Amino acid sequence: MGFGPASAADAGAPWGPALLRFAVSLCLVLTGALVAGCGTDDGSTPEQDVRRDAKVIRQYFPELGAFEEVVWTGELLGDARAAVPGPSDFRVSGMVRLTASDTRRLRTEYTWQGAPGGPAVLAGIRPYVPGQAEWQTSDEFTATVTEGRYAGTFHVDFQKNTLVFDATNPRKKV
């Protein structure tokens, strides 16, 4: 997903031009999805809002490694019609199919504990979250990924080489 150069208007923004460009891009995608859905019947599927482009997820979560597959979706939070323009919070959820080597790396580099109840994700991702999974979480891994700068959860099933993520306002790293 290509973003143009930062404009003078967003260069001094405290949330950073990359986050602003991601939020604007996400808003455009979601707006397109909403407009495309106008006038259709209720037979819409979650697949319409799900994306499969790995580049964006790798930029925000490089710690996941060279995963084989990703499905993800996002949404803007709050009232998009606010009278005062400004940055919008956004939430992104997804499921990643890890490579066998990344599964081994994550298992050995971090301390994991059982996570009864499983991950909470946006509705569009729920059909992709494996049932009957043995979910594990790691406070250490979460702290590494989020750098303590935003809220996020990361659930791994090592037997299925699957990682499910949910984050609010993640920051681009690469």
Side-chain angles (χ1 to χ4, degrees):
M1 170 182 263
F3 296 110
S7 70
D10 66 5
W15 52 87
L19 178 61
L20 181 60
R21 287 191 302 272
F22 179 79
V24 168
S25 175
L26 185 59
C27 181
L28 291 173
V29 168
L30 293 174
T31 299
L34 289 173
V35 170
C38 289
T40 61
D41 63 6
D42 276 348
S44 64
T45 63
E47 181 68 30
Q48 292 172 336
D49 298 328
V50 172
R51 299 182 62 177
R52 295 178 181 279
D53 51 325
K55 181 179 178 182
V56 172
I57 300 306
R58 286 190 172 110
Q59 290 173 335
Y60 283 85
F61 308 113
E63 300 83 1
L64 303 181
F67 49 83
E68 297 175 353
E69 174 188 10
V70 63
V71 291
W72 66 277
T73 191
E75 73 176 10
L76 291 177
L77 304 175
D79 184 3
R81 296 171 287 156
V84 178
S88 296
D89 290 331
F90 65 98
R91 179 179 173 195
V92 61
S93 292
M95 187 280 303
V96 170
R97 182 90 47 223
L98 299 167
T99 63
S101 62
D102 282 323
T103 298
R104 282 190 302 276
R105 175 184 56 84
L106 292 175
R107 184 185 294 210
T108 59
E109 287 184 10
Y110 300 96
T111 302
W112 299 89
Q113 58 274 347
V121 294
L122 291 169
I125 296 302
R126 286 186 201 130
Y128 300 96
V129 175
Q132 304 300 315
E134 293 184 32
W135 296 116
Q136 303 219 5
T137 60
S138 169
D139 293 338
E140 183 184 13
F141 179 73
T142 299
T144 297
V145 175
T146 66
E147 299 172 330
R149 301 175 83 189
Y150 62 89
T153 60
F154 302 87
H155 289 73
V156 178
D157 181 319
F158 291 110
Q159 299 302 314
K160 296 181 181 185
N161 294 343
T162 301
L163 182 140
V164 175
F165 63 88
D166 186 70
T168 303
N169 297 329
R171 304 213 176 176
K172 189 175 179 180
K173 296 176 185 166
V174 294

